[in-house]
Amino acid sequence: MGYDAYFGTYVVDDGAGVVTQTLLGALSAENVGMVVTRGMQVANDRLTIVLRTTSASAEPVTRTLLWKRVG
């Protein structure tokens, strides 16, 4: 379990079901400038972004970001 924070720009490829983000700022300074492509899915009022990566000890980790439209 952990916490991460970042901001930057993004490009969505609906056909491929991915979003590519360029990190302009991040909680971890070594992540600034990274370009990451993540799987995404839109269903009804929800956007789910998934990143499969590894931990510092090389264990598989799946990070999931869920956005819900309100209003």
Side-chain angles (χ1 to χ4, degrees), residues 6 16-21 36-42 46-54 60-67:
Y6 58 86
V18 297
V19 58
T20 300
Q21 300 167 298
V36 293
T37 300
R38 299 170 174 170
M40 64 164 218
Q41 180 179 13
V42 177
R46 296 177 186 265
L47 166 64
T48 305
I49 299 174
V50 177
L51 172 65
R52 289 179 177 79
T53 187
T54 55
V61 175
T62 300
R63 296 181 180 185
T64 304
L65 177 61
L66 176 64
W67 292 84

Side-chain angles (χ1 to χ4, degrees):
M1 174 103 26
Y3 174 81
D4 195 10
Y6 58 86
F7 64 90
T9 60
Y10 64 92
V11 176
V12 173
D13 183 338
D14 286 320
V18 297
V19 58
T20 300
Q21 300 167 298
T22 301
L23 308 187
L24 301 178
L27 185 62
S28 301
E30 64 272 13
N31 291 345
V32 175
M34 285 180 63
V35 176
V36 293
T37 300
R38 299 170 174 170
M40 64 164 218
Q41 180 179 13
V42 177
N44 300 318
D45 60 352
R46 296 177 186 265
L47 166 64
T48 305
I49 299 174
V50 177
L51 172 65
R52 289 179 177 79
T53 187
T54 55
S55 68
S57 61
E59 294 295 320
V61 175
T62 300
R63 296 181 180 185
T64 304
L65 177 61
L66 176 64
W67 292 84
K68 182 179 180 193
R69 182 185 303 246
V70 297

